[in-house]
């Protein structure tokens, strides 16, 4: 999902900010973020991106139900399909002269599995709380190739966003005011799950963690390369939010049984934000900050106290800048190979 400022080429009235969110589903952090941004500034032009037109229209209707006077448009984009990303980017370049904010919020976690044996071991070794807040050693996924021959999680969670940004640079760089990229990462982003030699994570079972660590690396390099052109990148973690993705990890009846325990855990684990509204706290906080004063090496975590107070906590990312640069070069090489197949979709 994203926010931006600009005017549409069609000649519609200028709004102080245009907000562009890929991917804004009908529930979860994306929808909560749209509503909260409109509460902060009802003048923004919110452009909602979803995998297909019915989902986009459903998201738009849900937003307008809470904010009837809001200016909300839609664009169809499947971040797991390069052709879809390129078509969406071309449409956005036609419709907008600039984007102020782009919230890169799309993500998938296919076929998640919980390692209960690891949880039991964590309980015996005193590491259970750490495992519950980071999912380290607990969560595995089964990935597959997509239609472009890329690992599906890597393509959707990172590479589709990367291509989108590259295609929208003319709307993001060189403007009078800075433009912003705000990536949704995770506390599950871990260096141990990522490898430069297997950056798509074809050989492992922690593709989600790998893709989120790759997100952190990408943001670091984007700041080094594009800050002078007026584009700033930030990374957030929404915490543990009960969303459609989360509910797929365990049967619903188990979540129902666990919820009282999770509310109790929040007194000890502040990243148990639990609701989409709470999970969007860092996203909204960054909307109000001047990017020049933010730490490019920090991840901004949404936190909720045991008594329900929301706040933002910056934490240094565990990233090596040399590794980040090497990974970025690999992304550029993969981009060159990928775009050779879709010359008809390029200007």
């Amino acid at each position: 999902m994203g926010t931006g400022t600009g005017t549409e080429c069609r000649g519609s009235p200028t709004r102080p900010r245009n907000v562009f969110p890929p991917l804004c589903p009908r529930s979860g952090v994306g929808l909560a973020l749209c509503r909260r941004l409109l509460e902060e500034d009802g003048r923004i032009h919110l452009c909602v991106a979803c995998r297909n037109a019915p989902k986009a229209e459903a998201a738009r209707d849900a937003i307008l139900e809470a904010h009837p006077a809001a200016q909300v448009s839609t664009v169809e984009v499947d971040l797991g399909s390069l052709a879809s990303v390129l078509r969406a980017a071309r449409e956005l370049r036609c419709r907008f002269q600039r984007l102020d904010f782009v919230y890169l919020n799309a993500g998938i976690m296919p076929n998640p599995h919980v390692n209960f044996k690891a949880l039991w071991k964590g309980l015996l070794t005193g590491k259970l709380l750490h495992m519950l807040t980071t999912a380290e050693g607990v969560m595995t996924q089964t990935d597959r190739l997509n239609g472009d021959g890329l690992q599906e999680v890597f393509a959707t969670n990172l590479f589709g966003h990367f291509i989108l940004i590259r295609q929208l640079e003319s709307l993001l760089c060189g403007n009078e005011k800075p433009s912003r990229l705000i990536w949704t990462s995770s506390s599950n982003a871990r260096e141990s799950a990522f490898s430069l030699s297997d950056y798509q994570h074809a050989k492992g079972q922690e593709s989600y963690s790998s893709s989120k660590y790759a997100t952190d690396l990408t943001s670091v390099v984007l700041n080094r390369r594009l800050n002078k052109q007026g584009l700033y990148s930030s990374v957030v973690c929404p915490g543990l939010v009960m969303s459609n993705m989360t509910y797929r990890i365990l049967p619903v009846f188990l979540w129902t049984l666990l919820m009282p325990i999770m509310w109790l855990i929040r007194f000890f684990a502040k990243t148990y934000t639990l609701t989409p509204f709470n999970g969007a706290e860092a996203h909204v906080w960054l909307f109000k900050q001047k990017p020049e004063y933010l730490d490019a090496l920090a991840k901004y975590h949404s936190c909720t106290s045991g008594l329900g107070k929301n706040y933002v906590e910056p934490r240094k990312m565990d990233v090596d800048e040399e590794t980040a640069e090497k990974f970025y070069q690999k992304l550029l090489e993969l981009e060159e190979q990928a775009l050779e197949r879709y010359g008809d979709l390029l200007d």
Side-chain angles (χ1 to χ4, degrees):
M1 149 165 32
T3 41
T5 319
T7 54
E8 292 201 36
C9 297
R10 294 192 302 252
S12 57
T14 303
R15 291 282 177 172
R17 294 185 179 182
N18 291 319
V19 182
F20 174 65
L23 173 70
C24 183
R26 289 173 292 176
S27 62
V29 173
L31 182 57
L33 174 57
C34 289
R35 288 168 170 167
R36 291 193 62 178
L37 288 174
L38 286 168
E39 290 171 3
E40 293 292 332
D41 185 352
R43 300 168 299 167
I44 62 175
H45 180 156
L46 189 68
C47 183
V48 180
C50 286
R51 277 189 294 264
N52 55 57
K55 285 182 181 247
E57 288 304 317
R60 182 177 183 272
D61 292 344
I63 295 165
L64 290 175
E65 184 178 354
H67 299 274
Q71 186 178 4
V72 184
S73 59
T74 65
V75 65
E76 183 178 341
V77 56
D78 178 357
L79 272 297
S81 164
L82 291 176
S84 177
V85 171
L86 293 172
R87 281 193 292 267
R90 186 165 62 183
E91 180 179 345
L92 290 167
R93 289 195 302 270
C94 174
R95 289 168 55 183
F96 293 95
Q97 294 175 356
R98 63 165 291 163
L99 293 172
D100 295 303
F101 286 77
V102 177
Y103 281 88
L104 301 157
N105 190 53
I108 60 171
M109 184 192 293
N111 306 307
H113 302 284
V114 178
N115 187 336
F116 290 101
K117 184 177 180 180
L119 281 175
W120 177 250
K121 184 178 179 180
L123 177 63
L124 296 178
T125 58
K127 297 180 179 179
L128 182 61
L129 185 60
H130 172 76
M131 296 172 73
L132 288 175
T133 54
T134 65
E136 183 174 349
V138 178
M139 290 295 305
T140 60
Q141 303 88 41
T142 304
D143 203 359
R144 62 182 182 181
L145 294 177
N146 69 2
D148 294 307
L150 304 171
Q151 293 298 134
E152 187 175 39
V153 174
F154 165 81
T156 303
N157 293 8
L158 175 73
F159 193 60
H161 292 101
F162 175 76
I163 294 296
L164 184 66
I165 292 165
R166 295 275 292 167
Q167 292 293 308
L168 295 178
E169 278 192 11
S170 61
L171 306 185
L172 295 166
C173 297
N175 296 313
E176 182 180 349
K177 294 181 179 179
S179 292
R180 309 280 301 279
L181 305 174
I182 300 177
W183 301 78
T184 299
S185 181
S186 171
S187 59
N188 189 234
R190 302 193 322 280
E191 183 181 12
S192 60
F194 177 82
S195 169
L196 274 176
S197 61
D198 182 28
Y199 59 86
Q200 292 193 43
H201 205 76
K203 300 176 183 178
Q205 291 187 304
E206 296 183 89
S207 53
Y208 183 81
S209 177
S210 175
S211 70
K212 293 303 182 181
Y213 187 77
T215 293
D216 297 351
L217 295 174
T218 304
S219 180
V220 168
V221 180
L222 286 171
N223 279 314
R224 291 173 61 179
R225 288 174 173 245
L226 297 176
N227 279 179
K228 291 182 179 180
Q229 298 179 46
L231 179 61
Y232 291 82
S233 181
S234 299
V235 180
V236 303
C237 173
L240 178 63
V241 176
M242 302 310 298
S243 64
N244 291 338
M245 181 185 294
T246 314
Y247 279 120
R248 284 196 291 268
I249 297 173
L250 294 172
V252 174
F253 80 91
L254 274 181
W255 283 122
T256 303
L257 295 174
L258 288 172
M259 280 308 294
I261 300 173
M262 294 174 69
W263 284 95
L264 180 62
I265 290 175
R266 198 162 71 179
F267 281 92
F268 309 96
K270 50 199 170 185
T271 54
Y272 269 47
T273 51
L274 299 184
T275 70
F277 181 95
N278 296 344
E281 186 70 20
H283 300 75
V284 177
W285 183 83
L286 284 168
F287 179 74
K288 299 181 285 186
Q289 308 306 309
K290 291 185 177 181
E292 301 91 331
Y293 301 118
L294 295 171
D295 186 349
L297 295 177
K299 183 180 296 184
Y300 294 89
H301 290 251
S302 296
C303 298
T304 305
S305 71
L307 298 177
K309 180 180 179 180
N310 293 327
Y311 61 99
V312 176
E313 182 177 281
R315 302 179 188 175
K316 283 286 186 181
M317 291 189 289
D318 180 23
V319 294
D320 176 75
E321 294 187 57
E322 184 178 348
T323 300
E325 191 64 44
K326 290 179 180 178
F327 173 59
Y328 194 86
Q329 289 297 328
K330 290 182 178 292
L331 287 179
L332 293 177
E333 293 169 7
L334 185 61
E335 175 193 37
E336 184 178 1
Q337 297 169 17
L339 294 187
E340 287 180 357
R341 300 174 53 189
Y342 296 104
D344 58 319
L345 296 176
L346 301 176
D347 294 337

